Amino acid sequence: MNPPQTPSLGGPNVARLRVGVLGAGTMGVGIAVTVARSGHAVVLRDISSNALAQGQDSVRRFLNRSVELGKLEADRRDAALAGLEGTLELEALADCDIVIEAILEDTELKAKTFGQLDSICREDALFHTNTSTLSVTAIAAGSSRPERVVGTHYCNPAPMMPLVEVARGQRTGEDAYERTLRFIETLDKRVVTTADVPGFLVNRYLVPFENDCIRALETNLGTVESIDAAVTKGLRYPMGPFTLLDIVGLDIHKAVSMSLFERMRDPRCAPPPLVDRMIAAGQLGRKTGEGFYTYADSKLKGT
Ligand SMILES: NC(=O)c1ccc[n+]([C@@H]2O[C@H](COP(=O)([O-])OP(=O)(O)OC[C@H]3O[C@@H](n4cnc5c(N)ncnc54)[C@H](O)[C@@H]3O)[C@@H](O)[C@H]2O)c1
């Protein structure tokens, strides 16, 4: 079988869409920023009023900061903020052209949510899942319209990272797939198409590599600093594995590792014992002020 091809996409063709984003956590906020600053209207939905308020605030602060840094024009920020709505109600997604879910990494929850959206959204609405490791096909099975479900995996932090992996599920239709590629083109992202396999391309290779580096540290093959330096200076990766793990968070890394391990049975995906010890000690990374490195400002969540 030929591997999936990466399509070459033409220039942007921005028709303003109404895009629902489910989950106002790390990824939901990043995706909301990405979509809103590209000229689309965004309806951000969470089940927690606190998470929603914090998420909307994070979107506003990110866009304001982008203007301060000269990376975004003020009128685009104003348009993005004017088009941003927050809601606790799933029904508010009724008129969306696309709904992107970035809720907890749980197949049943994601599938059930798409099933609920079936009776709320228009028949032609696309459902995108931002799962890191789960099966797009299994998530799509919760919907009576699996042909409209597509895997779109944004990298963290979504506004900064240029890549989106796009994976079709077993029943994804051609029309939904093509519309998805055109939509992501409007976000000024590089699409890499891949298959519906655990971890797609990025996490399939990144997670075992990160666990190898943690094991190297556990067995005293190097220090945090020397392994990071080997990877950045020797391989020219933009950041070392421990710097990256502190950004992602050790709790998230463990969940992603476990999910990959459960699906692939590859021992390199199993999180090493040091990960459990660090989680038990509250050393989750930047968000707790301490991980492999220590941070003066623990509010630097995911930056
Ligand atoms: N964090 C990463 O680096 C990363 C990268 C790529 C993909 N992902 C994937 O993105 C998804 C979200 O991850 P995250 O790190 O943003 O999680 P998070 O815990 O930061 O945020 C999840 C949010 O979803 C909300 N939520 C839970 N159930 C909901 C529901 N039914 N409807 C609406 N909101 C709901 C929670 O209240 C929370 O605010 C996961 O599937 C994860 O695997 C994460």
Side-chain angles (χ1 to χ4, degrees):
M1 198 176 84
N2 291 328
Q5 295 299 304
T6 298
S8 79
L9 298 167
N13 172 24
V14 185
R16 186 175 163 87
L17 300 179
R18 186 171 164 84
V19 179
V21 177
L22 293 180
T26 306
M27 293 309 294
V29 164
I31 293 169
V33 166
T34 304
V35 174
R37 75 180 176 193
S38 300
H40 302 292
V42 171
V43 188
L44 182 62
R45 192 252 176 176
D46 206 290
I47 47 170
S48 142
S49 50
N50 268 349
L52 180 63
Q54 275 179 23
Q56 284 179 285
D57 191 45
S58 299
V59 173
R60 273 185 223 108
R61 280 189 292 120
F62 190 98
L63 291 171
N64 285 334
R65 186 88 184 118
S66 302
V67 173
E68 281 164 28
L69 294 173
K71 294 182 174 171
L72 185 71
E73 290 122 34
D75 54 350
R76 281 182 67 188
R77 182 245 348 246
D78 297 344
L81 291 178
L84 175 71
E85 284 169 46
T87 184
L88 296 171
E89 309 299 329
L90 207 53
E91 287 70 19
L93 303 171
D95 283 333
C96 286
D97 300 285
I98 301 176
V99 177
I100 306 169
E101 75 74 18
I103 62 175
L104 306 182
E105 186 76 340
D106 176 326
T107 303
E108 217 173 301
L109 180 67
K110 288 177 190 287
K112 189 176 117 201
T113 304
F114 281 163
Q116 290 168 336
L117 286 173
D118 283 347
S119 56
I120 293 171
C121 293
R122 293 197 317 262
E123 271 201 15
D124 65 343
L126 299 181
F127 296 162
H128 287 174
T129 172
N130 181 49
T131 179
S132 305
T133 56
L134 304 174
S135 158
V136 175
T137 304
I139 293 167
S143 168
S144 57
R145 309 172 205 157
E147 68 281 3
R148 300 235 177 264
V149 179
V150 186
T152 60
H153 179 242
Y154 295 74
C155 297
N156 183 17
M160 263 93 97
M161 298 295 276
L163 183 76
V164 179
E165 294 181 282
V166 176
R168 54 202 307 170
Q170 194 76 8
R171 292 188 180 278
T172 303
E174 196 58 36
D175 170 68
Y177 186 64
E178 293 297 329
R179 282 169 56 204
T180 297
L181 295 178
R182 288 204 296 276
F183 167 66
I184 293 174
E185 184 186 357
T186 71
L187 307 181
D188 200 21
K189 297 284 184 196
R190 171 73 153 86
V191 168
V192 167
T193 59
T194 179
D196 182 16
V197 292
F200 307 118
L201 286 171
V202 169
N203 281 320
R204 194 179 185 84
Y205 298 112
L206 174 66
V207 172
F209 164 73
E210 287 172 330
N211 284 331
D212 285 346
C213 293
I214 298 169
R215 283 187 200 98
L217 179 67
E218 274 182 333
T219 50
N220 297 318
L221 294 183
T223 63
V224 166
E225 290 81 4
S226 70
I227 295 169
D228 265 3
V231 169
T232 54
K233 309 293 178 214
L235 300 175
R236 281 201 175 249
Y237 283 24
M239 71 177 72
F242 298 114
T243 305
L244 178 60
L245 282 161
D246 275 358
I247 291 174
V248 169
L250 270 285
D251 50 343
I252 302 287
H253 173 74
K254 181 181 177 182
V256 170
S257 293
M258 285 307 297
S259 176
L260 277 181
F261 179 65
E262 277 160 20
R263 291 190 66 205
M264 294 171 68
R265 296 284 154 201
D266 175 352
R268 289 182 63 226
C269 292
L274 177 59
V275 173
D276 279 331
R277 289 205 300 279
M278 289 179 68
I279 292 173
Q283 297 165 321
L284 301 186
R286 283 189 177 218
K287 60 188 167 189
T288 57
E290 192 185 0
F292 291 103
Y293 295 95
T294 49
Y295 301 87
D297 181 359
S298 60
K299 287 186 202 127
L300 281 169
K301 261 181 84 171
T303 53

